[in-house]
Amino acid sequence: NAGVTQTPKFQVLKTGQSMTLQCAQDMNHNSMYWYRQDPGMGLRLIYYSASEGTTDKGEVPNGYNVSRLNKREFSLRLESAAPSQTSVYFCASTVSGGSLYGYTFGSGTRLTVV
Amino acid sequence: GQQLNQSPQSMFIQEGEDVSMNCTSSSIFNTWLWYKQEPGEGPVLLIALYKAGELTSNGRLTAQFGITRKDSFLNISASIPSDVGIYFCAGLNYGGSQGNLIFGKGTKLSVKP
């Protein structure tokens, strides 16, 4: 049971470079989320997808784009990376947005922008 | 928007001691969740609470859903070194198109053997 799989686990980018963080879940969940975690800030929602074919902005969407490729996969793209985007990124999924069981998280992607 | 105030921010305790942390909000939630995050991993669900006043245990962990629906606490009894990590509370409201979880900023727990 893989749950939520994120790739890569670590990445170093130069300012201005682009990259895509991948996320896949094998639990047949409808809703998927991207969070960033910074020291002392907790988990902040970047974008979410309530269901296949829909995406919406969260609390901190600037500088990011997302694609819900299919029910399983939800990717996060940084078009032009900035040092302020140095963070740990977590993908999560749940059966549906109002699920009583909370979210299942991946193990994170640690991104450093120099 | 909705915010959760989680305290304390960090705790340094001796193995065997009991731990208590809490979350408060100015808004009502229908569900309270407690997560633990170990170093290098994503958060993992510990306890879910669904009714005001509910008290739920999971081994040495006990959590309560406040009667006003605006707060929750988590207790850990007889702490051990593997309890080390960051504990997050999260509140959830049903309905609407999403029902997003709102997270507290976490309580970092350090346990000295």
Side-chain angles (χ1 to χ4, degrees), chain B residues 74-100:
Chain B
L74 175 70
N75 286 345
I76 305 173
S77 62
S79 58
I80 58 179
S82 63
D83 290 334
V84 164
I86 303 176
Y87 292 78
F88 291 99
C89 61
L92 175 67
N93 279 328
Y94 313 149
S97 63
Q98 190 45 228
N100 287 334

Side-chain angles (χ1 to χ4, degrees), chain A residues 6-57:
Chain A
Q6 290 184 237
T7 56
K9 290 191 179 299
F10 301 94
Q11 184 71 48
V12 178
L13 289 179
K14 293 183 179 178
T15 297
Q17 285 186 316
S18 63
M19 79 161 294
T20 300
L21 281 64
Q22 306 287 352
C23 175
Q25 51 88 12
D26 62 0
M27 297 170 286
N28 202 35
H29 284 173
N30 291 309
S31 302
M32 298 184 73
Y33 307 81
W34 277 105
Y35 285 87
R36 61 177 288 173
Q37 184 178 30
D38 303 293
M41 300 294 290
L43 290 155
R44 293 184 293 171
L45 184 64
I46 304 171
Y47 269 94
Y48 64 94
S49 171
S51 59
E52 187 179 353
T54 69
T55 61
D56 283 289
K57 295 178 180 179

Side-chain angles (χ1 to χ4, degrees), chain A residues 21-112:
Chain A
L21 281 64
Q22 306 287 352
C23 175
Q25 51 88 12
D26 62 0
M27 297 170 286
N28 202 35
H29 284 173
N30 291 309
S31 302
M32 298 184 73
Y33 307 81
W34 277 105
Y35 285 87
R36 61 177 288 173
Q37 184 178 30
D38 303 293
M41 300 294 290
L43 290 155
R44 293 184 293 171
L45 184 64
I46 304 171
Y47 269 94
Y48 64 94
S49 171
S51 59
E52 187 179 353
T54 69
T55 61
D56 283 289
K57 295 178 180 179
E59 180 185 355
V60 288
N62 291 345
Y64 306 96
N65 284 303
V66 291
S67 295
R68 184 74 183 266
L69 304 170
N70 47 55
K71 191 171 185 179
R72 290 187 64 247
E73 299 172 286
F74 188 38
S75 62
L76 178 71
R77 183 160 178 84
L78 287 70
E79 290 290 352
S80 178
S84 60
Q85 293 178 304
T86 293
S87 187
V88 182
Y89 291 85
F90 287 100
C91 178
S93 70
T94 191
V95 171
S96 65
S99 170
L100 301 181
Y101 303 106
Y103 300 174
T104 301
F105 283 85
S107 57
T109 294
R110 283 143 190 84
L111 176 67
T112 302

Side-chain angles (χ1 to χ4, degrees), chain B residues 1-110:
Chain B
Q2 295 175 310
Q3 289 189 342
L4 293 184
N5 298 310
Q6 187 172 350
S7 63
Q9 282 188 320
S10 61
M11 304 180 74
F12 297 86
I13 62 169
Q14 198 76 30
E15 182 177 1
E17 289 182 355
D18 295 343
V19 172
S20 184
M21 58 191 80
N22 69 81
C23 264
T24 60
S25 172
S26 57
S27 305
I28 289 172
F29 288 103
N30 295 316
T31 298
W32 283 93
L33 303 162
W34 284 92
Y35 283 85
K36 179 188 178 186
Q37 183 182 25
E38 296 187 1
E41 297 296 329
V44 174
L45 184 65
L46 296 174
I47 290 180
L49 301 157
Y50 304 115
K51 278 185 358 181
E54 180 181 356
L55 185 72
T56 297
S57 293
N58 178 5
R60 292 178 297 106
L61 277 60
T62 301
Q64 185 157 28
F65 192 145
I67 197 74
T68 64
R69 295 164 63 194
K70 293 183 178 181
D71 62 327
S72 177
F73 72 75
L74 175 70
N75 286 345
I76 305 173
S77 62
S79 58
I80 58 179
S82 63
D83 290 334
V84 164
I86 303 176
Y87 292 78
F88 291 99
C89 61
L92 175 67
N93 279 328
Y94 313 149
S97 63
Q98 190 45 228
N100 287 334
L101 277 182
I102 308 296
F103 284 90
K105 292 192 167 131
T107 294
K108 186 174 183 180
L109 179 63
S110 301

